[in-house]
Structure formats: C-alpha cells, structure tokens
Amino acid sequence: MDNVLWGLVVLLCGIFIAAYGHQLFRFALAFIGFALGFYLVMWLGGGLDTALRIIVGIVAGGILAATLYLLVKSALYIAGGIMGLVLMLGILGLFRLGGLDLGIFGSILALAAAGLGGFFGQRLGPIVTILATSLAGAYFVVLGLGALFGLGLETDNPSALLGSAFPLVLFATVAAISGLAQHQAFALRQRFLR
C-alpha cells in the first residue's frame, strides 16, 4: 500500500511535468518540489510508521512545492540545475554506474552537475525549461511506474533507478516525446505571438 500511494503521487506529478512543464512552468516547479519532497520522505523515513511518513511526506512536499513556486525569478537557474542533475543520473545509468555507492564523490558529482546546469540554464534561455521539465517528468514517470509495478527497478535508491536497460530506455523515450511535444507547442506559440 505504501509503494502504491507514493508511486501514484510521483507518477501523476511526472505526467503533469512532462506534459505541461514549459507552458505552466511555475506550477511544474511546484509539482517537482512536491514530488521530490514526498519521495525523499518516503525514501529516507523508512523507520517511521506508514501514516506518519505519508503525513510528513505531504508536509515536506508542500513546503518544497511552495518554495520552488515562489522562486520563479530564479527559474532558469533552477531549471538548469534540475536538467544537470537528471542528465547526470542518465549518464551514470548509461555507463552502468547508477546505483554504485559513490559516497562523498557522488554528492560532489550531483552538486557539480546541478551547478553546471544552473550556470548554463541562464544562457540557454527558455529552451532550458523544456529540457528540464521533459527530463524531470520522465524521471518521475519511471520512478512512479517502478514503485507501482516493480519493473525490476530499485526505487529505494534514486541513483540506481536508471541503472538497467529497460528503465533507461523508458526514461529516454518519455523524455524525447515530452521534449518534442513541448518544443512544438513553444514554437507554435512563438509563431502566433509575432
């Protein structure tokens, strides 16, 4: 029951982010914050009672959602950081390094990827929101499906999620479809604004 609830929450957040990330970026940031906060509490709070973990997860998700929603002025930096972090997880999975216990090096690598993505996020302009939301949405979709149906995925370790072939291909497929659809909507909107 525990995996079903948080898997469903993360899956629904991922679908919203992948579908409407660029058009409703402020809300997509809130959904990213909620999914991330809820997932982290469910992942790290294994010793807590299930009901307490769900309540704390909802509260932590709500706080992180409100924080990211209000930080819209730094949106391109946040989107770049999200893009860098998810790209790093995808590259680690591609080279079969996902899920390794990298210790402090893994934390440094994650911070460097997020920082580098944030640095380039401002320079990429509005296209970074499409890239970030399609990648984050695809990651949450795979995470939610893994929690709901197993699929041979390690949903307990976020760095191991993309460590095998099927989840990596599913992630790449959802990210590509989401990115192309969001880019088409962006191009169409730009054409009508001229």
Side-chain angles (χ1 to χ4, degrees), residues 64-181:
L64 201 52
T67 303
L68 287 181
Y69 182 83
L70 295 174
L71 288 176
V72 76
K73 295 202 186 282
S74 308
L76 295 180
Y77 293 111
I78 294 170
I82 292 168
M83 179 188 68
L85 189 59
V86 177
L87 276 176
M88 184 233 12
L89 290 172
I91 291 170
L92 286 177
L94 185 64
F95 291 110
R96 303 282 189 244
L97 297 173
L100 293 178
D101 186 16
L102 300 176
I104 191 75
F105 178 71
S107 301
I108 293 170
L109 187 62
L111 285 174
L116 197 59
F119 176 75
F120 284 111
Q122 185 68 25
R123 282 128 187 94
L124 288 173
I127 198 79
V128 74
T129 60
I130 294 171
L131 293 171
T133 56
S134 62
L135 290 170
Y139 185 81
F140 285 137
V141 165
V142 173
L143 183 65
L145 288 174
L148 287 173
F149 302 110
L151 304 175
L153 303 177
E154 270 191 67
T155 55
D156 294 343
N157 185 355
S159 67
L161 181 66
L162 303 176
S164 59
F166 178 71
L168 188 60
V169 169
L170 181 62
F171 164 76
T173 304
V174 172
I177 291 170
S178 170
L180 290 172

Side-chain angles (χ1 to χ4, degrees), residues 7-8 17 25 32 53 79 84 115 157 159 179 186:
L8 192 59
I17 295 163
F25 185 67
I32 289 171
R53 192 164 36 160
N157 185 355
S159 67
F186 173 71

